Amino acid sequence: MGADVLLGLQWGDEGKGKIVDVLTPEYDIIARFQGGPNAGHTLEFDGIKHVLHTIPSGIFRKGVKNVIGNGVVIDPIILKQEIDKLIPLGVNIKEQLLISKKAHIILPTHKLLDKASEIAKGEKKIGSTLKGIGPTYMDKTGRNGIRVGDLFEDNFPEKYKNLVAKHSTLLNFYSMEINLDELEKDFFEGIELIKSLNAIDSEHYLNNAIKAGKKVLAEGAQGTLLDIDFGTYPFVTSSNTITAGTCTGLGIAPNKIKRIIGIFKAYCTRVGSGPFPTEEDNETGEKIRQLGHEFGATTGRERRCGWIDLPALKYAIMINGVTELSMMKADVLDQFDKIKVCTHYINKGDKIDYFPYNIDNNVKPVYIDFDGWNTDLTELTEADTLPTELKNYINFLEKELETPISIVSVGPDRKQTIDNSKS
Ligand code: GDP
Ligand code: IMO
Ligand code: MG
């Protein structure tokens, strides 16, 4: 009974979708609590790859309910595209997908505002996914937003018109051209689809389910270092990506949360702008990018690549109250003779082991080297068959992070997942 949480500890794309899919058979309900179609969660099984943006990653397991929580922002156009892909695969959307009436809607003009804001920032741009995330959350906190529940009200057309009028004034200020015809056609088709789905009071639904002994897994989007409060501000997203986001984004109280599974890559990546102390903007980074296929699941952009960063991971574990870890993409390091681990930073001449307020060019990583394993991990299935060098790497991380690594992932497929909880 209760809720578990699974979330990213780095800058997103850690492999959350894969592990949610792997763990779903243990749960009755999978619930997304924040973010929106800026997320791209990849699942692979039976030789096919699926990318989800708004829909939780439990959707492929029959009978499991998938909730889009109140903390999520929904683009009706993208949601419809996702659903249109799932229906031919036999997914029973009407049965399995539930949407909070309190989730906010991304309007076509939110996306234009996202773009205008990025253009105006010039070199200082965030590197947003341009999905309208920031402007939609701004309207939410500014108390101007449109929620799923509003779609069923008679005054929805008026609310929509008023908000678009407000956005148009802003877009004029940015000298941004507005041509909404095509976007609005798709938008209103998406709205009709949402109205045909199960819109619910998800906070009641989830709490009643927990009371009835059902198991809920909350699925995070983005990663801790992109959190609006604790990430590398301003180069962050506009929601709370951390465990606390589960409470606000689903209405699940803190004392209902049990396991908190933090996911990290055996190295580190970031897409978009902002500080990244262990970035390898060189041949090493390129090798990781090619071997790890590090290109965005949502935007196709190249992901910046580098070594694992323990001060950042320790920070993320602290903020989230992580109880166990999942180490992803270990196989990507199969062909490295030396693997670096950042244990400290040199910050303005001082050696520090914490994530500082300002991360700029003054913050330099301090590394220790590990021997690589030079072994193909992708066929391995048991923890005791892992090469000694990898076991050393895992043992070191567990000790430094003071948290057990219960899963080691060695490939994108569901099956390429090693239970490390008994070793
Ligand atoms: P998410 O946003 O956290 O769900 O992660 P993404 O789907 O954006 O990015 C993770 C990428 O790594 C996807 O292409 C996955 O298929 C892939 N992936 C996940 N786990 C592994 C792994 O253990 N090894 C390899 N090689 N790829 C993985
Ligand atoms: P998943 O859930 C990686 C990044 C963007 C940009 C910043 C702000 O797949 O891990 P936004 O569109 O949210 O205003 O962009 O955050 N970003 C992500 N990076 N994975 C994601 O999601 C991301 N969602 C947003 O690249 O730097
Ligand atoms: Mg992703």
Side-chain angles (χ1 to χ4, degrees):
M1 195 173 88
D4 296 340
V5 181
L6 181 146
L7 42 68
L9 300 180
Q10 296 163 322
W11 280 286
D13 302 329
E14 296 90 349
K16 299 173 291 291
K18 169 182 165 165
I19 298 299
V20 169
D21 170 61
V22 167
L23 296 179
T24 296
E26 296 176 27
Y27 293 92
D28 303 289
I29 301 168
I30 310 296
R32 272 277 304 269
F33 57 91
Q34 45 68 235
N38 47 351
H41 294 185
T42 314
L43 292 72
E44 265 188 60
F45 53 88
D46 300 338
I48 303 174
K49 176 170 152 176
H50 308 273
V51 181
L52 297 167
H53 300 286
T54 328
I55 295 177
S57 302
I59 199 74
F60 291 102
R61 305 281 194 175
K62 292 216 179 334
V64 174
K65 303 285 188 195
N66 286 257
V67 175
I68 299 176
N70 57 279
V72 175
V73 290
I74 301 173
D75 181 338
I77 302 175
I78 294 179
L79 181 63
K80 182 170 183 304
Q81 288 165 354
E82 285 185 75
I83 291 175
D84 287 347
K85 277 194 194 152
L86 293 175
I87 287 176
L89 302 174
V91 175
N92 190 341
I93 287 290
K94 295 235 156 117
E95 254 315 290
Q96 280 186 263
L97 186 66
L98 307 165
I99 305 181
S100 168
K101 285 186 202 157
K102 294 193 170 84
H104 280 245
I105 299 286
I106 302 174
L107 271 48
T109 40
H110 282 131
K111 287 184 271 190
L112 295 177
L113 283 168
D114 204 357
K115 191 168 166 193
S117 162
E118 285 286 79
I119 291 170
K121 282 187 196 309
E123 289 214 326
K124 294 199 170 69
K125 71 174 183 183
I126 309 294
S128 145
T129 58
L130 303 179
K131 302 294 176 193
I133 304 297
T136 307
Y137 279 116
M138 280 164 74
D139 271 335
K140 175 178 176 172
T141 51
R143 293 152 299 173
N144 299 308
I146 293 181
R147 303 190 291 178
V148 167
D150 293 326
L151 309 180
F152 299 91
E153 302 292 332
D154 292 342
N155 67 353
F156 165 62
E158 194 190 330
K159 271 196 173 161
Y160 174 79
K161 222 175 78 202
N162 289 342
L163 193 51
V164 171
K166 186 170 158 283
H167 291 167
S168 301
T169 316
L170 277 168
L171 288 164
N172 280 336
F173 166 79
Y174 281 121
S175 310
M176 183 95 174
E177 223 175 275
I178 314 170
N179 186 355
L180 283 179
D181 293 352
E182 186 59 28
L183 288 173
E184 280 193 334
K185 184 178 155 284
D186 293 343
F187 176 76
F188 284 110
E189 276 176 26
I191 292 290
E192 284 314 306
L193 175 69
I194 292 178
K195 285 167 73 176
S196 74
L197 301 172
N198 250 318
I200 60 162
D201 293 313
S202 56
E203 64 277 35
H204 287 297
Y205 175 82
L206 291 167
N207 281 291
N208 288 338
I210 290 171
K211 224 181 211 172
K214 304 253 189 253
K215 284 195 73 185
V216 177
L217 178 65
E219 172 180 357
Q222 290 78 58
T224 303
L225 304 179
L226 289 170
D227 180 83
I228 183 73
D229 282 280
F230 298 104
T232 46
Y233 192 89
F235 300 102
V236 294
T237 190
S238 298
S239 64
N240 280 119
T241 60
I242 56 174
T243 305
T246 307
C247 303
T248 56
L250 293 175
I252 292 177
N255 62 352
K256 299 284 187 303
I257 296 173
K258 309 285 187 240
R259 290 165 71 191
I260 301 169
I261 306 161
I263 304 233
F264 68 100
K265 284 178 186 166
Y267 48 96
C268 196
T269 65
R270 166 162 212 169
V271 59
S273 328
F276 180 1
T278 60
E279 180 171 17
E280 291 284 316
D281 189 12
N282 52 30
E283 271 176 23
T284 303
E286 186 57 31
K287 185 171 170 187
I288 297 176
R289 185 176 305 117
Q290 293 307 328
L291 291 171
H293 305 290
E294 294 295 357
F295 299 90
T298 295
T299 58
R301 288 178 294 175
E302 277 189 359
R303 293 179 184 147
R304 299 155 62 194
C305 298
W307 298 114
I308 198 164
D309 180 339
L310 296 190
L313 272 180
K314 285 178 189 171
Y315 182 72
I317 289 168
M318 172 183 83
I319 294 292
N320 290 302
V322 170
T323 59
E324 63 194 272
L325 294 162
S326 239
M327 186 169 90
M328 309 302 293
K329 304 190 86 162
D331 56 296
V332 173
L333 301 183
D334 282 357
Q335 299 172 40
F336 284 82
D337 292 332
K338 290 279 174 215
I339 291 165
K340 286 183 185 290
V341 173
C342 165
T343 56
H344 295 79
Y345 304 128
I346 299 290
N347 186 23
K348 297 184 198 133
D350 293 330
K351 190 173 178 188
I352 59 168
D353 66 353
Y354 61 88
F355 203 59
Y357 175 79
N358 249 341
I359 300 185
D360 53 24
N361 289 338
N362 287 317
V363 176
K364 303 281 183 215
V366 177
Y367 290 112
I368 58 171
D369 284 358
F370 279 78
D371 288 335
W373 40 91
N374 281 305
T375 311
D376 178 4
L377 301 179
T378 57
E379 303 285 326
L380 301 183
T381 53
E382 302 297 328
D384 55 12
T385 61
L386 293 176
T388 311
E389 295 84 354
L390 175 56
K391 281 185 184 159
N392 290 343
Y393 189 65
I394 292 171
N395 289 342
F396 178 79
L397 295 181
E398 286 185 322
K399 201 162 139 262
E400 284 290 308
L401 301 173
E402 298 176 351
T403 316
I405 298 179
S406 58
I407 290 176
V408 177
S409 178
V410 292
D413 194 89
R414 248 181 206 173
K415 292 200 188 108
Q416 293 170 302
T417 311
I418 297 178
D419 177 358
N420 193 55
S421 61
K422 285 164 212 93
S423 57

